[in-house]
């Protein structure tokens, strides 16, 4: 856990990027997440869900997801980006 304060409160377009090498692609794995207040406003999370990259965003009180097109396999290195 790292507290970034207000540094990660984008007001416009943004991207989250990471290099990952999953040893297991089953289930759900969080790559990076930022949680806002108790209503989860200003929250986003980049996850691997059963090998698929998914960016979850909480915008105006509703969850929105952006899904990757490829399915990742174990023991390979990937550059994953949520935009």
């Amino acid at each position: 856990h790292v507290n970034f304060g207000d540094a990660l409160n984008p007001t416009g377009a943004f991207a989250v990027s990471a290099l990952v090498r999953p040893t297991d692609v089953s289930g759900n794995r969080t790559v990076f997440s930022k949680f806002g207040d108790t209503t989860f406003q200003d929250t986003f999370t980049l996850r691997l869900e059963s090998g698929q990259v998914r960016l979850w965003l909480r915008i105006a009180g509703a969850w929105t997801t952006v899904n990757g097109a490829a399915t990742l396999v174990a023991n390979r290195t990937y550059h994953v980006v949520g935009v």
Side-chain angles (χ1 to χ4, degrees):
H1 173 82
V2 177
N3 185 347
F4 289 100
D6 289 333
L8 292 177
N9 289 337
T11 57
F14 71 99
V16 179
S17 172
L19 287 175
V20 298
R21 185 178 177 88
T23 57
D24 182 0
V25 294
S26 64
N28 298 329
R29 312 271 194 258
T30 299
V31 176
F32 182 88
S33 64
K34 188 266 180 187
F35 287 90
D37 61 23
T38 58
T39 64
F40 297 109
Q41 278 306 112
D42 301 320
T43 294
F44 57 88
T45 184
L46 183 64
R47 297 169 48 99
L48 300 180
E49 297 183 3
S50 299
Q52 186 176 23
V53 178
R54 185 166 286 149
L55 177 65
W56 287 83
L57 305 161
R58 179 84 170 174
I59 302 171
W63 286 102
T64 300
T65 59
V66 180
N67 300 318
T71 300
L72 280 56
V73 297
N75 300 311
R76 292 179 121 177
T77 302
Y78 298 91
H79 179 213
V80 296
V81 181
V83 179

